[in-house]
Amino acid sequence: MNIDPINNGIVIDHIKAGNSMEIYKFLDLDNVNSTVALIKNVPSKKMGKKDIIKIDKEIDINLDVLGYIDPDITVNIIKNGVRTEKKHLELPSVVKNVIKCKNPRCITSTERGIPHVFKLTDKENRVYRCMYCESSAKETV
Amino acid sequence: MKNLIDILDITTEEIDALIDTANDIIENPGKYNEKCRHKKLATLFFEPSTRTRLSFEAAMLDLGGSVLGFSESNSSSASKGESVSDTVRTVGCYADIIAMRHPKEGAPLAASFSAGVPVINAGDGGHNHPTQTLTDLLTIKRECGRLSDIKIGFCGDLKFGRTVHSLIMALTRYENVEIVLISPEELCIPQYLKDILRSQNIKFTETRTMESVMSELDILYMTRVQRERFFNEADYIRLRDTYILTPEKLEDAKKTLCIMHPLPRVNEISTEVDVDPRACYFKQVKNGKFIRMALILKLLEVK
Ligand SMILES: [Zn+2]
């Protein structure tokens, strides 16, 4: 299968196989009106299989969101057919309005207009907790 | 310190300072009875808790201030209509400080973003109740003379008791605190708390009866074992008596033991224990007012 290389845009690489759809949604790529290719199960020496997303336009990407989903993802910026930048991600210490708290006893379940904020409380195990009720994102998603 | 939402938001030094102020208030009440003149405390109770509300109101009145506020008779009405943010923003226009109780976890934190005046969490669902924890710390300090080098037993419902969870968390910050957890298996402390205790190398043991450890304890913290926590009535009745404190069970206890309870009690401490000089739960109620006075002074930056 051939996907044309892009001239100017972004390649999101080393996505854990199967996660590309989730990233597509989180980055709201549905509302990007240039070509977007979502390539699944690409053979990879390092990962066995991986997913790749190519966007034929340089858009602003929320790196915190990507870092939250998977800090092993790399983001490549392509200009005139050449990779000009390779960004490695980090686990963000705070994610704001990316995930919603699912704890029905949490104030965010009823209060309108307050930010949904999760804080990294355990880096090793990648645990994020709701700023309001301390439910972990894993427990609640 | 701008607000008090979670006991772990403030340092042990700040806690020490609050305890020192509370002790000074107890010794010299006259020095403080005009400190908050012309200041208003708003008690916003989106769910009822007469005991906590009265403690806050008495604290402000004893500082010479005044109080206003509301208490919702049923918690469901709090979920309708106006947002918490709008309510506290409005109240912040009248009051100098807010004490707020709400059935939803995190509501006081959300309120603190828009109130414009200091917010004190007076209980948010099963989550936090930091002024209860401050009350407990003041009581331990006054009765034992220290917050470190203590052996404290928690008895009863340790699974759902947020009072117990917050006090345990607060005590993890002091040296050489040993914790004894006395509860039926069904009501032992949540796994996440055990993980925290282990990761911080806090010595703790679990047991099913209080008699087995009574002689070793400096503090015995009693809690209610509620009927609704059990699947069936038979289990409740079988276990209930094991966790009722009576004079007989205190036979081996230290002379200096400090018996605490967050109140209200049902029957988990027999009334015969009330005359025992080691019973500290009514002193604890008084301490609750004094530590709230110290907290109000601190948050209003009254010298
Ligand atoms: Zn939450």
Side-chain angles (χ1 to χ4, degrees):
Chain A
M1 190 168 75
N2 281 321
I3 310 255
D4 291 339
I6 51 177
N7 271 326
N8 290 293
I10 297 166
V11 177
I12 306 173
D13 201 356
H14 301 109
I15 301 170
K16 207 168 129 226
N19 271 0
S20 52
M21 212 41 221
E22 194 188 351
I23 289 166
Y24 183 89
K25 278 189 223 145
F26 268 119
L27 294 178
D28 198 21
L29 297 180
D30 217 12
N31 288 319
V32 171
N33 49 22
S34 56
T35 310
V36 175
L38 197 149
I39 314 156
K40 288 178 65 172
N41 298 327
V42 181
S44 157
K45 273 191 202 129
K46 205 168 74 181
M47 305 170 69
K49 271 189 215 168
K50 64 178 181 180
D51 290 1
I52 301 173
I53 295 175
K54 294 187 177 187
I55 305 156
D56 198 13
K57 186 184 179 185
E58 202 179 331
I59 57 164
D60 272 336
I61 280 192
N62 186 336
L63 295 176
D64 281 351
V65 173
L66 283 183
Y68 167 72
I69 297 169
D70 183 354
D72 296 329
I73 289 172
T74 49
V75 176
N76 301 288
I77 310 293
I78 314 291
K79 281 186 179 142
N80 300 318
V82 184
R83 184 172 75 191
T84 58
E85 208 180 331
K86 182 175 183 176
K87 291 179 182 169
H88 288 278
L89 304 179
E90 278 172 30
L91 273 183
S93 56
V94 173
V95 283
K96 199 170 169 183
N97 294 330
V98 175
I99 33 173
K100 284 196 165 166
C101 183
K102 298 277 166 62
N103 172 6
R105 298 177 309 277
C106 179
I107 184 64
T108 55
S109 68
T110 50
E111 182 84 354
R112 287 155 279 130
I114 52 168
H116 288 239
V117 179
F118 280 73
K119 289 183 175 171
L120 180 63
T121 54
D122 178 350
K123 208 171 175 180
E124 212 172 303
N125 298 306
R126 294 186 189 176
V127 179
Y128 283 84
R129 289 190 181 278
C130 172
M131 176 174 76
Y132 302 93
C133 71
E134 295 172 79
S135 299
S136 88
K138 270 192 202 128
E139 281 162 29
T140 63
V141 170
Chain B
M1 204 194 299
K2 292 261 186 298
N3 305 288
L4 179 63
I5 305 299
D6 181 333
I7 192 73
L8 297 179
D9 290 346
I10 59 174
T11 63
T12 52
E13 288 76 21
E14 286 172 315
I15 290 174
D16 288 344
L18 289 172
I19 289 176
D20 288 347
T21 308
N23 279 326
D24 195 50
I25 294 170
I26 294 169
E27 278 151 40
N28 312 290
K31 210 169 108 186
Y32 291 89
N33 59 19
E34 293 286 324
K35 289 272 188 195
C36 287
R37 202 157 173 74
H38 306 304
K39 302 268 188 199
K40 290 193 280 290
L41 165 77
T43 51
L44 309 186
F45 277 54
F46 293 85
E47 73 177 1
S49 172
T50 308
R51 206 169 271 281
T52 305
R53 187 168 52 86
L54 292 182
S55 180
F56 272 107
E57 295 185 355
M60 192 52 163
L61 295 173
D62 280 357
L63 289 167
S66 46
V67 295
L68 69 166
F70 62 80
S71 180
E72 301 264 0
S73 55
N74 67 19
S75 55
S76 64
S77 59
S79 58
K80 295 183 210 133
E82 196 176 40
S83 68
V84 168
S85 306
D86 282 0
T87 306
V88 296
R89 174 167 282 178
T90 309
V91 172
C93 299
Y94 312 130
D96 300 284
I97 185 166
I98 291 172
M100 173 178 166
R101 191 181 188 96
H102 197 285
K104 291 281 183 189
E105 299 171 12
L109 177 64
S112 70
F113 298 147
S114 54
V117 296
V119 173
I120 302 170
N121 181 358
D124 57 337
H127 187 217
N128 282 318
H129 191 6
T131 56
Q132 178 67 52
T133 309
L134 284 175
T135 301
D136 296 341
L137 293 172
L138 173 63
T139 305
I140 294 170
K141 186 70 191 278
R142 286 184 65 78
E143 298 303 317
C144 301
R146 62 194 189 272
L147 291 168
S148 47
D149 304 300
I150 51 168
K151 187 160 185 173
I152 178 166
F154 291 95
C155 179
D157 177 359
L158 309 185
K159 186 176 182 184
F160 298 96
R162 81 178 153 191
T163 323
V164 170
H165 302 166
S166 336
L167 183 54
I168 288 176
M169 285 305 296
L171 287 173
T172 61
R173 301 195 288 182
Y174 297 91
E175 293 286 315
N176 198 21
V177 171
E178 195 178 335
I179 293 168
V180 184
L181 304 162
I182 310 157
S183 76
E185 206 179 340
E186 296 90 326
L187 295 178
C188 70
I189 62 163
Q191 187 59 42
Y192 84 91
L193 264 178
K194 287 187 196 173
D195 293 343
I196 291 173
L197 292 177
R198 282 202 190 94
S199 72
Q200 303 200 15
N201 286 320
I202 311 283
K203 201 171 167 196
F204 74 97
T205 47
E206 292 186 88
T207 171
R208 303 278 168 252
T209 66
M210 56 179 116
E211 291 93 320
S212 58
V213 289
M214 191 63 89
S215 63
E216 304 157 21
L217 299 177
D218 300 307
I219 300 147
L220 175 62
Y221 199 103
M222 296 294 299
T223 65
R224 241 178 320 156
V225 174
Q226 285 169 286
R227 182 166 304 185
E228 57 266 32
R229 302 298 188 208
F230 288 90
F231 287 115
N232 65 66
E233 188 77 6
D235 274 354
Y236 169 68
I237 295 188
R238 178 174 55 84
L239 288 166
R240 186 189 54 188
D241 291 349
T242 316
Y243 302 98
I244 292 180
L245 183 63
T246 57
E248 296 72 50
K249 287 183 186 151
L250 282 167
E251 260 165 27
D252 290 337
K254 286 185 185 171
K255 292 271 172 291
T256 54
L257 176 73
C258 164
I259 305 165
M260 296 172 67
H261 189 298
L263 301 184
R265 74 171 149 183
V266 182
N267 58 357
E268 55 279 5
I269 300 179
S270 99
T271 50
E272 297 155 270
V273 176
D274 295 359
V275 293
D276 191 305
R278 293 169 291 188
C280 297
Y281 29 94
F282 288 105
K283 284 189 207 165
Q284 215 175 329
V285 176
K286 279 192 187 165
N287 290 339
K289 184 190 74 174
F290 295 124
I291 200 77
R292 288 181 177 97
M293 290 171 77
L295 180 64
I296 291 169
L297 289 172
K298 172 74 187 168
L299 290 173
L300 288 177
E301 295 173 1
V302 175
K303 288 277 172 322

